[in-house]
Amino acid sequence: MPNIGNITLGEFPLLLAPMEDVSDPPFRAVCKDNGADLMYTEFISSEGLIRDAAKSVKKLDIFEYERPIGIQLFGSDIETMASCAEIAAAAGPDLIDINYGCPVKNVACRGAGAALLQDIPKMVKMTEAVVKSTGLPVTVKTRLGWDHETINILEVAERLQDIGIQALTVHGRTRVQMYKGDADWTMIGKIKDNQRIRIPIFGNGDIDSPEKALEYRERYGVDGIMIGRASIGNPWIFNQIKHFFKTGAHLPAPGILERVAACRKHLDFSVRWKGDTLGLLEMRRHYTNYFKGLDNFKPFRMRLVESLVYRDIEAMLDEIVHYYQESENFAAI
């Protein structure tokens, strides 16, 4: 049973990946309802936090129902990262996570995220500074390496463990791959086979079904699985995987009432947390995902994304329930 410090996660935890512009408190709420065992904030810029930038500070918001919850930080300056870990710890998370895996240009090309995979000594110094700056457990999320010629995750795992991290999540791609091609879990399995490794190792990348989760659990021996893109519009995936592990059978696909209930909770929380205008605007990206696979949904989607009136959207969700309960147009995921 993997532990992170004094945090007990259960026999085989399922983690919600930190995703920019996705894994905010409203999205985390529906994932927690549906079986996510450990969740993380969206990644927070250390420079933004030091400057007291409103967007960065807002991402520190966490709620009791979310526990255990980690705040994820990224940055390129060692002292700034250490200072930000202290600020983040004051927000009351259960752990601090360092992002050494983000591949996007405006992060990696500024020396943060996956860029640190090109400078392991600096990565080690930065991690050690963060570990020393807080009494909370520190974890790391990273990738296999910068490119296929410089896959260095085995060295990274050992060195970061030796300076005090308490868990490591590895995405099975290099930075150059971005999110293309298949994730390669072979190296993740080799980390688990390393007799020197004592901390929990979580695998990430391409887990989009209960069958694949079980296959990768058994093949690579990881201590848990982190799920990212497959949870968008499908928060039920966590409980689906858990049920499959226990029974070998599939849970019924979510019906229209379950989909609308999840979307409605997400919408309500989004408006309460962000305000009417921003809360409604940022929900637009989620409507298609919650109702993926429904025949004749396009007219509803167009109306949902065009409206910025909360009551109108609530009424449309009621209309969607009525339409798909009374017709032959419902297709389960």
Side-chain angles (χ1 to χ4, degrees), residues 10 47 127 139 193 206 226 231 237 248 302 321 326:
E47 293 181 3
T127 306
T139 63
D193 289 338
D206 295 351
M226 178 177 281
S231 67
I237 191 170
M302 295 302 294
V321 170
E326 297 296 324

Side-chain angles (χ1 to χ4, degrees), residues 185-241:
W185 283 54
T186 304
M187 295 302 293
I188 304 175
K190 288 183 178 180
I191 300 170
K192 280 301 301 176
D193 289 338
N194 183 347
Q195 296 300 309
R196 285 200 64 230
I197 295 298
R198 303 176 305 278
I199 60 174
I201 302 298
F202 303 123
N204 174 231
D206 295 351
I207 300 297
D208 57 7
S209 70
E211 291 88 349
K212 186 174 285 187
L214 180 61
E215 176 190 352
Y216 281 32
R217 173 187 181 177
E218 294 181 347
R219 181 184 299 180
Y220 301 107
V222 291
D223 297 292
I225 288 173
M226 178 177 281
I227 298 170
R229 289 173 291 170
S231 67
I232 299 174
N234 184 28
W236 306 279
I237 191 170
F238 300 99
N239 277 336
Q240 289 170 347
I241 290 172

Side-chain angles (χ1 to χ4, degrees), residues 85-290:
E86 295 181 27
I87 297 172
D94 298 286
L95 61 90
I96 301 294
D97 189 74
I98 308 174
N99 182 313
Y100 292 138
C102 182
V104 300
K105 287 184 177 180
N106 66 349
V107 173
C109 292
R110 293 180 180 179
L116 275 300
L117 287 164
Q118 298 180 103
D119 191 346
I120 304 306
K122 182 178 179 180
M123 177 192 285
V124 170
K125 290 179 181 178
M126 181 178 289
T127 306
E128 187 173 25
V130 171
V131 169
K132 289 180 177 178
S133 72
T134 176
L136 293 174
V138 174
T139 63
V140 163
K141 184 173 188 285
T142 188
R143 289 182 169 234
L144 300 178
W146 181 259
D147 56 29
H148 282 293
E149 285 68 47
T150 57
I151 290 179
N152 48 17
I153 189 60
L154 296 178
E155 175 190 357
V156 166
E158 288 190 1
R159 295 185 67 176
L160 295 187
Q161 174 185 262
D162 291 347
I163 53 90
I165 72 164
Q166 308 225 5
L168 175 67
T169 301
V170 181
H171 181 98
R173 290 181 174 87
T174 64
R175 186 272 169 179
V176 169
Q177 281 183 275
M178 301 292 285
Y179 295 98
K180 298 176 182 177
D182 295 329
D184 179 5
W185 283 54
T186 304
M187 295 302 293
I188 304 175
K190 288 183 178 180
I191 300 170
K192 280 301 301 176
D193 289 338
N194 183 347
Q195 296 300 309
R196 285 200 64 230
I197 295 298
R198 303 176 305 278
I199 60 174
I201 302 298
F202 303 123
N204 174 231
D206 295 351
I207 300 297
D208 57 7
S209 70
E211 291 88 349
K212 186 174 285 187
L214 180 61
E215 176 190 352
Y216 281 32
R217 173 187 181 177
E218 294 181 347
R219 181 184 299 180
Y220 301 107
V222 291
D223 297 292
I225 288 173
M226 178 177 281
I227 298 170
R229 289 173 291 170
S231 67
I232 299 174
N234 184 28
W236 306 279
I237 191 170
F238 300 99
N239 277 336
Q240 289 170 347
I241 290 172
K242 289 180 177 181
H243 184 79
F244 190 76
F245 282 175
K246 290 181 180 179
T247 68
H250 289 276
L251 281 173
I256 192 63
L257 290 176
E258 290 175 276
R259 297 198 199 194
V260 169
C263 183
R264 197 187 299 274
K265 178 168 184 171
H266 194 163
L267 170 68
D268 179 64
F269 200 154
S270 183
V271 168
R272 285 188 289 110
W273 188 61
K274 302 173 184 176
D276 284 354
T277 300
L278 185 59
L280 293 173
L281 281 171
E282 293 196 356
M283 275 300 296
R284 287 176 170 179
R285 67 171 68 96
H286 294 286
Y287 296 130
T288 298
N289 294 315
Y290 277 120

